[in-house]
């Protein structure tokens, strides 16, 4: 999106597409801002759409994951 503002605008547009009526994002990370708000109903709509994403479902249902060893790099 090129900027936090543009990304938030994209998030707000998508929220409206999903039927959200009481949601406004100002950042992608959820940090406090007086103009950053949502409702339980809107979050349920967002979650419903999110769980249609197979990658998210795979990640969310992963019980454990072993990271492979990495090569050490001299400083």
């Amino acid at each position: 999106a090129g900027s936090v503002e543009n990304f938030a605008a994209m998030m707000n547009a998508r929220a409206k597409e999903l039927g959200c009526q009481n949601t406004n994002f100002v950042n992608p990370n959820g940090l406090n801002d007086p103009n950053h708000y949502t409702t339980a109903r809107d979050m349920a709509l967002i979650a419903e759409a999110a769980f249609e994403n197979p990658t998210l479902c795979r990640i969310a249902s992963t019980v454990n994951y072993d990271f492979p060893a990495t090569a050490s790099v001299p400083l």
Side-chain angles (χ1 to χ4, degrees):
S3 71
V4 168
E5 292 80 15
N6 288 345
F7 192 81
M10 292 170 65
M11 291 171 62
N12 288 322
R14 181 66 175 132
K16 293 249 183 281
E17 289 174 10
L18 295 174
C20 297
Q21 299 174 353
N22 297 295
T23 292
N24 187 65
F25 296 109
V26 278
N27 59 55
N29 53 34
L31 293 177
N32 290 341
D33 185 288
N35 294 314
H36 190 101
Y37 55 85
T38 191
T39 63
R41 179 192 175 278
D42 286 358
M43 284 306 297
L45 293 171
I46 293 167
E48 181 180 33
F51 286 114
E52 290 176 4
N53 181 313
T55 301
L56 177 65
C57 290
R58 189 181 86 247
I59 292 167
S61 64
T62 299
V63 176
N64 59 47
Y65 181 81
D66 293 322
F67 286 93
T70 58
S72 60
V73 178
L75 298 176

